Amino acid sequence: MTHRFGLVVVIGMLLLPLLAAQAPDPRLTERSAALREGLVELCDWCKEQDLLRERQRLLELVLVFAPNDRKIREAAGYEAITSKRWQRRKGFRNPLRTNREAVPEFERRLGLVIDEIFLLLDEIPTEGEPDLPLADRRDVVEALLVVLPREPRLLEALGEKKKGSRWYLEESLAARERRAQVRRQAELLFAGSGEPAKVPVPDPENAVDLRWKSARLLPGVEVVGTVSDDEIEEAARIAWASIGWFRLATRREAPPFQDFRIVLLQSVEEANLYLHFDRRVDDASRRFADGLTSFWIPKTATVLIWAPDRGLRKEWVARQTTAMLLLNGFGISTRQGAVYEGLGLYLSHKITGLRSTWYVRQSRYDEKRDDRLAIDDIKNQKSWLKLAKRRSRARAPDFRRLLALEVNQMEVEDLVGAYALAAYLVEGAPDRLAPFLERLGQGMNFEFAVREIWGLDALELGTQVGRWLKESVDG
């Protein structure tokens, strides 16, 4: 009852300026003006009924929207320090008196007002139309929640759903159902890839003086290598499954590069020989490849992988396939570091069960080693989502910082945040994943893209992902 009373002034203070500023439909303006008159009358009635405790809470709420209103400040027990600075009057006490006998009539009157409020709210555009952007509508809904914290219609307007006696983010309930499905999809894709066809070792690889074992082909990818034939076959199946998995996750048809080829080598010596033989690789590119374990031949659809063990090589197959799809399908590159690393790690982990390959040099992470979370710490974690959940309890993910980073600017802790973001997108908000990627690939600023897709700023999205982790991840 006391919370609802604050709604009286919120509409008058918040809805009218937003509507008037955007020159909306005159009928909407007339309705909001009439509603405000009714709210003011109800406010006066409540004062007459000696609802002093409720009145004080109302005054404090009004100050959220009109912080420099002198009349309201003074009525709420403040005194001026300057024209825009206030402090509580000495000896001020919150009033406790309320008139319980007036409650039934108050709730009856307020119920009528609430119905009118939702009729008005339903007429406010919800898809970012020019009259009133989605972000402003969300601001209205969140302001109303201050005084109606358990109002189902408001919670549903913010994308929440009730399960049992509790309210959850819609993304949290979706993730709990989708997480197992995502894992099963990856398993089925790998199992259903079939046996890759054996083909002759192609040029230019065939002309390089290396002991090529075989070449394998599946739709969309060819794998050739000096490693064992069964590893080459496995790599082709991983790449094929990654392509299918990416399409399921994004719900978009992102075709592979034409002539997409993966070259698997057993050692750095073989890689050096290949790089020196291939005329498409200049000296600067060779220097860049020095110290890496995977490298794209410039201006081609061929990627070399020469990690020292089979596990790392197969993980690089999944990661580089995902990188190819992000670039070819959406224009996403290392400039969008959080998405590039996050989705790459998340998707390849579902296919291979591994999560150890990162696009920047290992030494780069070592140089920026964070005492709170070191490289060995995250490598030893069985679940990065549980780790992200534990860390978000103390501090919501800082997405304003994270989303602005390129890959080579990321630090150790950023990997966990990027992985959590990817899981949230794939498991909790799959319908928003592709539109988000499309806007980023078109060059839209992260902040603008987040605002357009979610109606939030980056900090608010970080808070939402922190809550999502709490609600959807066990342990």
Side-chain angles (χ1 to χ4, degrees), residues 265-460:
L265 304 172
Q266 295 191 79
S267 66
V268 65
E269 290 77 18
E270 289 186 346
N272 287 335
L273 179 62
Y274 188 106
L275 292 171
H276 279 83
F277 170 83
D278 196 322
R279 295 182 178 179
R280 298 170 295 181
V281 183
D282 58 22
D283 289 341
S285 297
R286 293 187 190 97
R287 287 193 296 270
F288 179 80
D290 185 35
L292 299 179
T293 55
S294 182
F295 177 75
W296 285 88
I297 302 298
K299 300 179 181 180
T300 74
T302 297
V303 60
L304 269 62
I305 298 172
W306 64 91
D309 63 74
R310 180 169 177 169
L312 289 174
R313 288 194 293 269
K314 74 177 186 179
E315 188 181 357
W316 267 126
V317 168
R319 285 234 49 191
Q320 294 287 25
T321 302
T322 302
M324 174 270 296
L325 293 165
L326 282 169
L327 181 61
N328 197 36
F330 295 96
I332 300 295
S333 70
T334 56
R335 291 190 300 273
Q336 295 89 10
V339 170
Y340 197 77
E341 285 280 48
L343 283 173
L345 286 165
Y346 176 85
L347 296 177
S348 66
H349 182 237
K350 296 303 177 185
I351 296 291
T352 68
L354 302 171
R355 195 179 40 219
S356 301
T357 53
W358 308 326
Y359 271 90
V360 300
R361 299 169 186 259
Q362 180 76 44
S363 60
R364 186 63 179 259
Y365 283 114
D366 286 337
E367 291 168 5
K368 294 189 174 184
R369 178 179 289 268
D370 189 321
D371 292 337
R372 295 170 298 171
L373 187 60
I375 294 171
D376 291 341
D377 292 335
I378 61 173
K379 281 189 173 181
N380 294 330
Q381 293 289 331
K382 292 184 178 180
S383 171
W384 280 16
L385 289 184
K386 289 183 179 180
L387 175 61
K389 176 182 178 179
R390 291 197 298 270
R391 301 187 69 77
S392 69
R393 287 171 181 164
R395 183 179 68 255
D398 184 0
F399 278 7
R400 177 170 292 177
R401 172 187 170 276
L402 178 63
L403 293 176
L405 298 177
E406 296 185 11
V407 163
N408 285 321
Q409 296 171 321
M410 295 176 69
E411 301 182 20
V412 174
E413 290 194 339
D414 298 325
L415 292 176
V416 178
Y419 186 91
L421 171 62
Y424 168 79
L425 291 170
V426 174
E427 298 173 3
D431 291 335
R432 296 176 176 178
L433 173 56
F436 184 49
L437 295 179
E438 286 168 352
R439 283 158 177 77
L440 296 179
Q442 292 164 2
M444 181 178 285
N445 175 279
F446 264 112
E447 283 277 0
F448 293 156
V450 169
R451 174 69 70 177
E452 185 170 318
I453 299 298
W454 281 273
L456 304 170
D457 62 31
L459 290 178
E460 290 169 331

